[in-house]
Amino acid sequence: MRFETTAIHSGAEIDQLTGAVAPPLHLSTTFERDADGGTARGFSYVRDANPTQTRLEEALAAIDSAQAALAFASGMAASAAIFQALQGHVVLPADGYYAVRALAADFFPRWGLRHDFVAMNDLDAVRGAMSDDTRVVWCETPSNPLMTVADLRALAELAHSRGAILVVDGTFATPALQRPIELGADVVIHSATKYMGGHSDVQGGTIAFKERGELHRHVEEIRSHMGGVASPFNCWLILRGIRSLAARMRVHCENARAVAEFLASHPRVEVVHYPGLRSDPGHEIAKKQMSDFGGMMSFRVRGGRAEALAAAAKTKVFVRATSLGGVESLIEHRNSSEGPGSTTPENLLRLSIGLEHKDDLIEDLKSALE
Ligand SMILES: Cc1ncc(COP(=O)(O)O)c(C=O)c1O
């Protein structure tokens, strides 16, 4: 089945008890044991598993072409659980999500992990950074916030040739546009707080595993012991979001294309980072591994920090806020959000392009840049 159909019909079996078409929301934290003490119905305690989460995980595995999936309380809880399952060396993206950088600095030494930051679009650099105990090449494509595109097929081949696995943070692309496991990756994580939820009203994180093997088992055990599990209600909201993901992504992409073209021709814009632009260095690889280019972009305003902040202060439709993937368009001075230690250029503004009319978005940016 095609993606749209899978996203609507997976984890969607009719409720046996009532015939309900929409999935029931089970809030129970505990489940009756069998007379012999067993759990033949599959559930005992909410932190280990619950029926709403199981439905979501079925859908997550199906839409990412994976054998198994796990839902977490947030994207960071999902990422941290993978790192906690490892020992040895990890190659991280030089321009990835900043909280992963903070996690590496503050927690990796305690977890027995070493790391190096590398530009993931430079295969020689990735090769050079790997050592005999490299367990994971971790990549984000397109990356946050510079929209760098990494070649997933090549990275998977490289990681595997050295006995490592490729983990991909696919939050920006979503499984509707890019399915890393089909390209050779071993694990895909998403912040479901973004496009999967889709309405800026739910927090969650997901991991899809190419194989239902030892890593999946270990990460599930970490989730159960550490408790970073998603609440049933959040699982229910994320599952609902997945149903309309493909349709929403089509409009996010269409609007983003129009906004990127407008910005690219604006005299006050130094550069637009959007892989959908033919001039973007990641365009050719993105075309091969994504079915469209997504709703995220960033651009640099001519001048510096003050000029970028002034432009962001003037928008009326774009809301000045962090996060992404909701129906409303957001504008963010990323360097301010990341704070001290940020490697993001000071004149960069990140845009999450929503589902408003594209002409309203363009007019809003036009007047903000005047
Ligand atoms: C690319 C990417 N990965 C992971 C995360 C972390 O997700 P969460 O905020 O749900 O913990 C984010 C959050 O912005 C992100 O942008």
Side-chain angles (χ1 to χ4, degrees), residues 35-54:
D36 64 1
T39 55
R41 285 168 285 185
F43 302 101
S44 65
Y45 184 57
V46 63
R47 177 153 44 74
D48 298 326
N50 69 80
T52 313
Q53 178 180 279
T54 301

Side-chain angles (χ1 to χ4, degrees), residues 97-114:
Y97 180 51
Y98 83 110
V100 171
R101 303 169 64 88
L103 193 71
D106 297 344
F107 289 90
F108 279 17
R110 299 184 219 179
W111 295 341
L113 278 176
R114 293 178 297 106

Side-chain angles (χ1 to χ4, degrees), residues 239-362:
L239 185 58
R240 187 169 76 158
I242 286 172
R243 305 307 188 209
S244 60
L245 181 64
R248 284 186 283 110
M249 289 315 293
R250 274 200 279 275
V251 182
H252 284 298
C253 291
E254 184 191 321
N255 284 359
R257 207 174 348 267
V259 170
E261 277 163 13
F262 160 74
L263 288 173
S265 66
H266 198 285
R268 289 210 52 216
V269 173
E270 197 176 282
V271 62
V272 181
H273 303 291
Y274 183 62
L277 291 173
R278 238 176 267 137
S279 56
D280 190 89
H283 180 68
E284 287 307 319
I285 292 169
K287 226 166 54 177
K288 286 191 206 145
Q289 63 190 25
M290 299 174 75
S291 58
D292 208 336
F293 304 101
M296 292 302 298
M297 72 185 68
S298 55
F299 67 102
R300 300 197 207 182
V301 181
R302 282 194 199 284
R305 184 182 188 89
E307 287 75 8
L309 281 167
K314 284 203 255 169
T315 58
K316 295 203 162 53
V317 180
F318 281 84
V319 180
R320 278 185 313 284
T322 195
S323 203
L324 57 118
V327 295
E328 63 289 304
S329 291
L330 304 178
I331 187 164
E332 184 185 27
H333 184 249
R334 197 67 197 148
N335 185 283
S336 301
S337 302
E338 293 177 357
S342 169
T343 53
T344 299
E346 298 208 53
N347 64 340
L348 181 138
L349 294 173
R350 191 184 78 178
L351 301 179
S352 171
I353 303 297
L355 305 183
E356 302 93 336
H357 195 289
K358 58 180 184 265
D359 293 346
D360 291 326
L361 299 179
I362 290 171

Side-chain angles (χ1 to χ4, degrees), residues 71-84:
F72 283 80
S74 68
M76 283 312 295
S79 303
I82 294 182
F83 291 125
Q84 284 176 304

Side-chain angles (χ1 to χ4, degrees), residues 73-77 79 96-100 140 142-144 169-172 189-194 203-205 322-324 334 350:
S74 68
M76 283 312 295
S79 303
Y97 180 51
Y98 83 110
V100 171
E140 220 181 274
S143 72
N144 180 2
D169 181 334
T171 299
F172 275 23
I189 76 136
H190 300 282
S191 166
T193 318
K194 320 300 182 194
Q203 178 178 263
T322 195
S323 203
L324 57 118
R334 197 67 197 148
R350 191 184 78 178

Side-chain angles (χ1 to χ4, degrees), residues 16-209:
Q16 289 303 303
L17 214 56
T18 61
V21 172
L25 167 56
H26 289 287
L27 293 172
S28 188
T29 55
T30 187
F31 298 82
E32 186 189 37
R33 289 250 167 195
D34 306 329
D36 64 1
T39 55
R41 285 168 285 185
F43 302 101
S44 65
Y45 184 57
V46 63
R47 177 153 44 74
D48 298 326
N50 69 80
T52 313
Q53 178 180 279
T54 301
R55 279 181 182 259
L56 170 61
E57 289 174 347
E58 273 172 41
L60 291 171
I63 61 174
D64 247 325
S65 303
Q67 281 186 4
L70 294 171
F72 283 80
S74 68
M76 283 312 295
S79 303
I82 294 182
F83 291 125
Q84 284 176 304
L86 305 170
Q87 293 236 301
H89 180 251
V90 179
V91 180
L92 294 174
D95 68 337
Y97 180 51
Y98 83 110
V100 171
R101 303 169 64 88
L103 193 71
D106 297 344
F107 289 90
F108 279 17
R110 299 184 219 179
W111 295 341
L113 278 176
R114 293 178 297 106
H115 65 279
D116 281 296
F117 291 111
V118 176
M120 285 293 156
N121 57 354
D122 180 345
L123 285 176
D124 289 333
V126 179
R127 195 176 291 111
M130 293 183 78
S131 54
D132 288 345
D133 69 339
T134 300
R135 296 286 318 282
V136 164
V137 175
W138 182 282
C139 121
E140 220 181 274
T141 184
S143 72
N144 180 2
L146 287 171
M147 304 298 299
T148 310
V149 175
D151 185 336
L152 291 177
R153 280 192 188 88
L155 281 177
E157 214 169 283
L158 176 56
H160 295 157
S161 74
R162 300 292 301 270
I165 60 167
L166 177 66
V167 178
V168 179
D169 181 334
T171 299
F172 275 23
T174 83
L177 308 182
Q178 172 181 277
R179 289 182 288 284
I181 288 175
E182 292 177 9
L183 302 164
D186 302 275
V187 175
V188 186
I189 76 136
H190 300 282
S191 166
T193 318
K194 320 300 182 194
Y195 289 103
M196 279 195 192
H199 296 75
S200 307
D201 56 8
V202 59
Q203 178 178 263
T206 69
I207 311 181
F209 298 83

